[in-house]
Amino acid sequence: MKIVVADDEPDMREYFLRMLTHLGHEVLAIAKNGEELVQICQLESPDLIITDLNMPIMNGDQAIERIWGTKNIPVVIVSAFQCPEELLRNTPHPPLRYLNKPINRIQLKEILDSI
């Protein structure tokens, strides 16, 4: 899959780049915040977005809402916080999955295989 990643933590951005490449996926771009994520997705056509929720400038759920206004791209949300069930239940858009940080390679592979 061609994947765009968004996370404000440099260590997480590096982790995703390394792990996704290792798992055979192509990382099209990496964003540091939600605004960059929206801009990248306007230019690129990823198969999947992996994004943190709590980011500066624009958070992950705001970015997803803007992206889904024009593109139908599945999303995996990663966060240190528990995912509100209503976020997953009330999403009328593409598949939305959730992973709690810290993330290991097995969890990441399982979620990617389920999309």
Side-chain angles (χ1 to χ4, degrees):
M1 279 190 285
K2 296 177 184 176
I3 302 172
V4 173
V5 174
D7 200 298
D8 60 325
E9 297 176 32
D11 289 347
M12 286 304 298
R13 293 192 302 265
E14 177 59 34
Y15 172 81
F16 281 118
L17 178 61
R18 194 174 59 250
M19 281 296 106
L20 292 169
T21 302
H22 176 74
L23 292 170
H25 301 283
E26 179 184 350
V27 178
L28 290 177
I30 298 179
K32 297 176 196 152
N33 58 61
E35 185 175 281
E36 285 183 12
L37 176 60
V38 171
Q39 291 170 354
I40 290 166
C41 288
Q42 288 172 345
L43 300 172
E44 300 287 344
S45 294
D47 300 316
L48 177 69
I49 296 168
I50 298 177
T51 184
D52 189 12
L53 279 182
N54 190 19
M55 295 184 291
I57 303 176
M58 180 188 297
N59 64 35
D61 55 341
Q62 292 169 326
I64 292 165
E65 188 174 325
R66 288 198 39 205
I67 292 164
W68 282 352
T70 60
K71 294 191 176 193
N72 190 23
I73 305 169
V75 175
V76 174
I77 292 175
V78 286
S79 182
F81 303 103
Q82 284 288 57
C83 177
E85 287 297 317
E86 63 272 8
L87 179 64
L88 295 176
R89 241 190 345 261
N90 297 328
T91 303
H93 295 289
L96 182 66
R97 305 286 197 288
Y98 187 84
L99 283 173
N100 272 34
K101 290 180 181 179
I103 301 162
N104 66 46
R105 183 178 59 83
I106 294 169
Q107 290 172 310
L108 184 59
K109 181 177 179 348
E110 285 174 356
I111 207 110
L112 294 173
D113 288 348
S114 75
I115 295 173

